[in-house]
Amino acid sequence: MQESHDRSAYDPRAVEAAAQQFWSDTHAFEVKEDAARQKYYCLSMLPYPSGALHMGHVRNYTIGDVISRFQRMQGKNVLQPMGWDAFGLPAENAAIKRGIPPAKWTRQNIAHMREQLHAMGFAIDWSREFATCDPDYYVHEQRMFVRLFQKGLVYRKDSIVNWDPVDQTVLANEQVVDGRGWRSGALVEKREIPQWFLKITAYAQELLDGLDQLPGWPDAVKIMQRNWLGRSEGLQLRFDVEGGGAIEVFTTRPDTLMGVTYLAVAAEHPLALEAAKHNPALRQFIDDCRQGGVSEAELETREKRGVDTGLFALHPVTGERIPIWIANFVLMGYGTGALMAVPGHDQRDWEFATRYDLPIKMVIVSDPVRDAIRELGRDAADNTDAMSAALGQSQAIDVAEPRPVAEVLAEFENRIITEGPFTGHGTLVNSGRYDGMNYRRAFDALARRFEHENRGKRQVNWRLRDWGVSRQRYWGCPIPVIYCPKCGAVPVPEDQLPVKLPEDVAFSGVRSPLKSDPEWRKCSCPKCGGAAERETDTFDTFMESSWYYARYTSPGAATQLDARADYWLPVDQYIGGIEHAILHLLYFRFYHKLLRDAGLVHSDEPATNLLCQGMVIAETYFRMDASGNKTWINPADVDVQRDPKGRVVGATLKADGRPVSIGATEKMSKSKNNGVDPQLMIDRYGADTVRLFSMFAAPPDQSLEWNEAGVEGMARFLRRFWREVVNIAGSPPTVSLPPLAGEGARKADGGAGAGTLSAAQKAFRRQLHETIGKVTDDIGRRRNFNTAIAALMELLNVVSKFTDASAAGQALRREALEAMVLLLNPFTPHACHALWQALGHPEALLEDVPWPRVDAAALERASVTLAVQVNGKLRGTVEVAPDAPRERLEAAARALPGVINAIAGKAVRKVVIVPGKVVSIVAN
RNA sequence: GCCCGGGUGGCGAAACCGGUAGACGCAGGGGACUUAAAAUCCCCCGGCCUUGCGGCCAUGCGGGUUCGAUUCCCGCCCCGGGCACCA
């Protein structure tokens, strides 16, 4: 016994090395197109090669691998590729810090991380691997850009960036910390420079409509994208300016037009700049607006400020004089850079008007107020109650005495002025001939009027802006454009592509080597042959990550894609972090439509199913010094103390045994030093245990708290499972008990074979087949891997306790454990690979071995348990035949002592029976 | 600020379509085995009351709908993600 224990003990290191060697030697995961088989393209977002695998990668790629291996066991032709999102800012930072060229640093990181991915045992087709910094990859991106240029989907315009006046460089939002440059500490300024744009807005409507064709995407992502696209129907309208000129505004609420009390323009608006020429105070305000970063979060949380230009616009209906203000919350980039402010019916306009003491007018009343007014108009004497109730609902007005309509309106207006705007749709008042109209009618009437006067037009506006793809950085794909003094911006001819990024460069300071190298940019104009210069900006790295999924299907193709793309695309399952819900996933969808319109793919959307996994979080520990600075301590270096109930009462540093403070549980990060190194975990427990824990500890879309004791629990489970399987491995692979053979048995004798089992044997087998059903559904449909694993643990507990030594009992054990090896294979493929062999199977546990099937006959039950409630409280349960009639259920329920007590002295009013679930008795 | 998501025992979580709240695992307590440790196995484990049977309370907070709400609706509080150079 002792000897066999030693021989058969679970040794993850040896098991995993052998399985990985086998998969590698047999090219087990390299796939090719096969029209005869159903394809399944399972894709995880490609990693940025930051240096080492982190737990977020482990989680992401384990989810993808579980789905891939599961689908493969369903007989599908599964593609699971991997590559590297190799361009980006961190490589430049590393270059500055350590003096290593970004290309070298990046390729070193890739080599290391590739080894780590191998050690996780992912079923990846490595023959398709590429890095986005390979010229063979980005040449196609450059060619696509040139073609989009020719199609008119690319343009250049001035755009605002964060400018660091000390380092003389453009900063990413990430590099702006509290309005200052992260390296120089200088106050960041806004600066306008010319940049390249892709016309994603030309696809806005299609991107919106396409969301309805994606039932396999999470609602949260679709809602976020819908809001991001931000379709709004409104009116673009011209206000004449007193003394000449005009301002165009866009409004989604033309019905509030008569409530306009001021106009607000952006600081960069031409009218603002013109007015500032003769007004130092305006000049000063506009200059102040240039300070600070450009991110939306920063702008939106900034204090709303403005200044009066002293100019007036003329109201397009009344001719009234309307003051024009410059306001820091109006941005030049959205709509027309100017807006009509209606403080009575818009929150932000109201706050601004209140601050600067601008008039507030009521021109819309809520429906309850309108109804009350109508009642008053009919019978002014006696409708106090109705009016009071109506006003009470909307604005809480006390109406003690009947009053004329004008007084009610005045009260409502007073509420708006003092308490806040009424921003809902309602009925127009104080609007002359538009009085009494609702939103829709007023919108139409005003639109017709202004279209007729040639003063305005109906317009659909989008929140979505065109995609600015220029970055003033070195480590990116060069934008293939040449600037000629005579011919202007000329795309690089396709036969001169790629424009290669020089990789052997030295970073002297923060400036891009492309920009400081006078030679690289020199070239001749493709049109006139004269001396010209190259663009030194590179693409936004979202460009590379927008089409990599397609390139995996056509490795080595001379063109961007070839016919193989049609076999594999679209992606069947895409997996990545929720943080990419908007930007990446929108560009990804957009680029797919660009590929489609170039004839390279033949579908409308790139991925049919999307899974967004949550973050990996961990506890934080720190010590604070006298001046309040925190030193963060890694969880691996800490011991935790508990009270007898298991509650955490303190923590100490392993090194000195003295206490440390316990911080929040948050996302693993370098700054909080709470990252757990996956490599350490693999070395200590093996990849299968790490995979199993990362799938068990939380459902994939929630955050996952890393907890090493939990990992040990998984190791315990795997050891037990290993032992159970090895214990039966000596018995013959097929114990001769035909009635147990599921499918075959039912064909042979209609399932009657199971009838020869004892009640305990039947219960055992039912649990097995319920588990097969649950695990299949949890992985295949629900993507709840944690509950699939829990069900398998439960089953193992049952198997361990099932000591039936009869022939039938042994056969049942074998059936259960063979099925479990298959069911666990997606999670712990190395151990299952070894155990499948140990069970005497000659073939490798790959697609040749089909997923276990549920035997419907095994699921039959002799009885079901129903909950019995009295007045909503549980008073007992009854066990009855599944087809027991209603009367018998009620009688059985009423016979329960708990029920008799609960209904004593009461009359039963109602009995609700939900078959298979509950008997609910209402008594009083 | 805006958009999206989440809040259930000491902890991670489960309850899938409104039907027995806490499966599974961790931590903890008690025991077995062992010279000892590790490993393994068995029992207990939301709170309060009760010798026991059992009862009451409990899914962030306050309301509502329902025979019945962790689940649906309304209003709050707290935590997390995103915000594209540029409502």
Side-chain angles (χ1 to χ4, degrees), chain A residues 367-592:
Chain A
D367 289 350
V369 170
R370 176 203 62 197
D371 295 344
I373 289 167
R374 280 185 188 160
E375 288 294 306
L376 277 179
R378 207 177 299 140
D379 182 6
D382 197 27
N383 272 291
T384 311
D385 291 347
M387 190 184 75
S388 177
L391 287 170
Q393 277 175 33
S394 58
Q395 295 284 316
I397 297 175
D398 283 331
V399 184
E401 299 292 326
R403 288 173 300 179
V405 168
E407 206 174 298
V408 176
L409 287 175
E411 181 102 33
F412 193 65
E413 179 157 41
N414 186 45
R415 294 286 164 168
I416 286 174
I417 291 167
T418 58
E419 287 177 15
F422 170 66
T423 58
H425 285 184
T427 302
L428 276 70
V429 294
N430 296 336
S431 297
R433 63 162 130 149
Y434 303 100
D435 276 358
M437 289 186 179
N438 64 16
Y439 164 79
R440 194 71 248 169
R441 283 182 55 212
F443 190 127
D444 289 340
L446 286 156
R448 268 199 306 277
R449 170 180 181 153
F450 292 127
E451 278 165 358
H452 183 254
E453 290 176 5
N454 214 14
R455 175 174 287 283
K457 59 178 195 288
R458 288 167 215 261
Q459 177 140 344
V460 172
N461 247 23
W462 297 84
R463 208 185 87 89
L464 178 73
R465 299 186 294 267
D466 278 332
W467 178 10
V469 295
S470 296
R471 295 291 180 268
Q472 298 70 39
R473 310 242 168 78
Y474 154 73
W475 187 235
C477 170
I479 298 179
V481 170
I482 289 166
Y483 298 104
C484 170
K486 274 187 251 168
C487 310
V490 183
V492 175
E494 292 195 21
D495 60 6
Q496 291 176 27
L497 296 176
V499 177
K500 278 200 191 178
L501 185 71
E503 295 195 355
D504 187 18
V505 294
F507 264 76
S508 44
V510 291
R511 275 176 69 85
S512 159
L514 289 189
K515 295 183 196 303
S516 40
D517 179 350
E519 290 307 311
W520 183 81
R521 69 173 81 170
K522 278 185 191 166
C523 63
S524 54
C525 172
K527 269 192 188 162
C528 70
E533 290 206 342
R534 293 189 186 284
E535 170 69 84
T536 57
D537 281 359
T538 54
F539 281 133
D540 176 3
T541 57
F542 275 127
M543 280 285 263
E544 288 85 56
S545 57
S546 292
W547 70 282
Y548 75 105
Y549 70 97
R551 183 66 186 178
Y552 285 139
T553 67
S554 305
T559 51
Q560 189 164 18
L561 302 176
D562 61 26
R564 291 173 289 175
D566 286 327
Y567 176 77
W568 293 110
L569 293 175
V571 171
D572 294 278
Q573 179 68 61
Y574 196 28
I575 303 137
I578 185 70
E579 67 272 19
H580 293 114
I582 296 173
L583 291 180
H584 163 66
L585 288 171
L586 197 64
Y587 296 142
F588 170 68
R589 295 181 57 223
F590 169 52
Y591 211 105
H592 191 79

Side-chain angles (χ1 to χ4, degrees), chain A residues 894-915:
Chain A
R894 279 171 174 259
L896 289 171
V899 173
I900 292 167
N901 266 336
I903 63 177
K906 292 177 179 170
V908 172
R909 302 286 172 203
K910 192 172 164 187
V911 177
V912 179
I913 294 178
V914 183

Side-chain angles (χ1 to χ4, degrees), chain A residues 145 152-160 193-200 465-470:
Chain A
F145 181 83
L153 285 167
V154 162
Y155 64 93
R156 194 168 183 242
K157 77 163 187 195
D158 280 357
S159 180
I160 304 169
I193 60 170
Q195 306 204 58
W196 290 100
F197 286 82
L198 255 54
K199 277 193 195 168
I200 190 173
R465 299 186 294 267
D466 278 332
W467 178 10
V469 295
S470 296

